[in-house]
Amino acid sequence: LYSIILSKKEKKRGMKGPVADPFPSPPSLRFRTYSSGASIKFSSCASDIVAVASNSHFGMAGKGIQQVFRTGAHMREKEGEKRVKEGEGGEVGNERYNMGEVGRHERGGGVEEIARFISPSTIFSSCFSEEDGDLLLSACGDGIVRGWSIVEGSKCLYEWKGGHAKEINDVAYTLLGSEVFLSGGWDGNVCMWSVRRAEPMAVWRQHSTTVYDVTWSPRDPYLALTAAGDGFAVVIDTREGKQLIRTCVHDGGEVLSATFDKYDSNLILTGGADGSIRAFDLRRMHEPTCMMLGHDLAVKEIQSSPFRSGVVASVSYDMSCRVWDLKQAPHCQRSVLHPHTEFITSVDWSVHDSGILGTTSWDNTAAILHVQS
């Protein structure tokens, strides 16, 4: 993966099309994280809670920090977009950002850090439990999934291990009301866990190389989707670990992210190292039904909208966040946002407020964005 990441100077020379403004107009809410951002997730239980994972040394080595922030009602106030920053280095606009302590905001209202957890290893992904809104899971670089309680302090309450021999790239809690979650790692394994057991319920070797993304179907409690560096997207029946569909979706290139549409049970979307996003009908996987082009570098993560079918958000190493609508094909791109000044590593939709996105980046910030709902 890192072979496709260019230095900032090289990136500006090699990108096709316009280069993002290095100091773009800031989003509705932007705040500092402990270090380089790796994952952002909204809570499904509280509308103003968001978790951000960041790492020392860009995740190459060192510790990981899992933070939980309360963003307040300001995240839903579009009037915040009209405010200017006072007393923090001048007006907001094309001025260089002057950010201080962790959690300090740039505009659009205050941010409060309500919890911070330290992992001895890097954190690549995180998710909230769908059953217990206080339980937060982190996928760590030492092959362990760690569980933290937001209300019980900074100690790690749970460790799930034994399923991965290498780094864990992603963790995903089932969306349909059980205690089960999935993880995918650099060893090619996909593991299914119960929050009540320290060891995995099942370990499946679904890919020949790194698994970048695992996600559950929002409609079928037994279906899961994985994406990996071997170029394949795989639909799994978790009752038996059986591969229902296995398809090379990006012409052999790495598949960095995949997601089910929240409303159409036959629609999946994938994002690849080639910079494209592709939509597939599970009944006809031999070719994409739509291909979305616009990113200049690899698509790091995609997430389908919890409010509208066919709407997907994507982030990329080209420092842009984009929103797409399949119903507008072939001109699917609806929004292009530049909330960060470095590689954007993660994106998530709020399930409480239509049109609200969260992003985080290697520039040590997270952002809350308003897009057309």
Side-chain angles (χ1 to χ4, degrees):
L1 173 60
Y2 293 111
S3 64
I4 63 171
I5 301 177
L6 306 176
S7 71
K8 197 168 185 179
K9 185 177 295 185
E10 293 171 334
K11 182 169 51 178
K12 288 183 179 179
R13 287 201 304 262
M15 285 170 53
K16 296 178 180 179
V19 176
D21 182 354
F23 304 109
S25 297
S28 303
L29 184 64
R30 174 177 158 128
F31 52 95
R32 188 175 179 84
T33 59
Y34 184 86
S35 190
S36 56
S39 173
I40 188 167
K41 287 291 185 293
F42 285 103
S43 169
S44 60
C45 298
S47 62
D48 59 348
I49 299 296
V50 62
V52 182
S54 60
N55 295 302
S56 304
H57 309 296
F58 305 102
M60 305 290 185
K63 63 184 178 182
I65 307 295
Q66 182 73 71
Q67 295 171 275
V68 183
F69 296 96
R70 187 183 303 279
T71 61
H74 294 285
M75 66 180 286
R76 294 189 295 273
E77 295 178 0
K78 292 192 176 182
E79 67 180 5
E81 298 176 12
K82 302 175 183 178
R83 300 176 183 174
V84 296
K85 180 175 61 176
E86 297 179 355
E88 296 181 26
E91 292 188 352
V92 173
N94 289 327
E95 297 294 328
R96 182 179 296 271
Y97 299 138
N98 178 19
M99 303 184 65
E101 65 275 7
V102 171
R104 184 172 178 178
H105 65 279
E106 290 188 331
R107 71 182 301 169
V111 177
E112 177 189 5
E113 183 186 42
I114 61 173
R116 181 187 298 186
F117 311 109
I118 301 176
S119 166
S121 180
T122 51
I123 299 174
F124 291 105
S125 179
S126 58
C127 69
F128 284 97
S129 164
E130 295 292 324
E131 286 193 315
D132 181 358
D134 292 324
L135 178 60
L136 180 62
L137 308 181
S138 300
C140 299
D142 54 5
I144 298 175
V145 178
R146 291 182 167 85
W148 323 89
S149 172
I150 297 174
V151 297
E152 294 188 25
S154 59
K155 292 183 179 180
C156 176
L157 296 184
Y158 309 101
E159 287 189 351
W160 294 273
K161 53 188 174 182
H164 296 281
K166 298 181 179 180
E167 293 88 336
I168 302 177
N169 267 330
D170 197 24
V171 61
Y173 207 96
T174 179
L175 302 174
L176 298 175
S178 74
E179 59 188 32
V180 177
F181 64 92
L182 293 174
S183 62
W186 288 21
D187 54 8
N189 288 348
V190 176
C191 299
M192 184 166 67
W193 312 79
S194 166
V195 294
R196 305 185 190 279
R197 295 175 52 180
E199 67 281 352
M201 299 169 61
V203 179
W204 304 304
R205 179 74 174 184
Q206 299 290 350
H207 297 276
S208 60
T209 186
T210 303
V211 178
Y212 288 113
D213 201 1
V214 292
T215 187
W216 290 92
S217 168
R219 303 177 67 86
D220 188 323
Y222 303 110
L223 286 188
L225 175 64
T226 65
D230 58 9
F232 286 90
V234 176
V235 178
I236 307 169
D237 184 337
T238 60
R239 288 169 292 190
E240 302 176 356
K242 180 180 179 182
Q243 291 187 2
L244 301 181
I245 298 172
R246 177 180 172 86
T247 304
C248 183
V249 290
H250 282 261
D251 304 319
E254 290 187 309
V255 189
L256 304 184
S257 187
T259 183
F260 286 97
D261 186 84
K262 297 297 191 294
Y263 295 93
D264 186 341
S265 59
N266 292 309
L267 176 62
I268 67 168
L269 300 106
T270 62
D274 60 0
S276 71
I277 301 162
R278 306 186 186 200
F280 291 89
D281 187 321
L282 291 176
R283 298 162 296 185
R284 297 181 295 274
M285 287 290 291
H286 59 282
E287 63 180 3
T289 59
C290 182
M291 185 180 301
M292 288 156 275
L293 303 175
H295 284 297
D296 296 295
L297 294 174
V299 176
K300 180 61 172 66
E301 187 172 17
I302 60 173
Q303 293 288 350
S304 59
S305 169
F307 289 95
R308 288 190 58 191
S309 178
V311 174
V312 61
S314 62
V315 292
S316 166
Y317 292 122
D318 66 7
M319 302 183 289
S320 72
C321 173
R322 299 171 190 250
V323 179
W324 315 79
D325 187 351
L326 293 176
K327 292 183 173 59
Q328 304 299 319
H331 306 292
C332 298
Q333 186 169 276
R334 290 174 50 190
S335 301
V336 182
L337 307 166
H338 296 284
H340 298 282
T341 58
E342 264 297 348
F343 303 139
I344 306 179
T345 54
S346 184
V347 64
D348 195 32
W349 291 93
S350 168
V351 298
H352 299 277
D353 302 271
S354 177
I356 290 182
L357 284 170
T359 60
T360 190
S361 165
W362 277 14
D363 64 4
N364 294 18
T365 68
I368 306 298
L369 312 171
H370 289 286
V371 297
Q372 183 180 354
S373 61

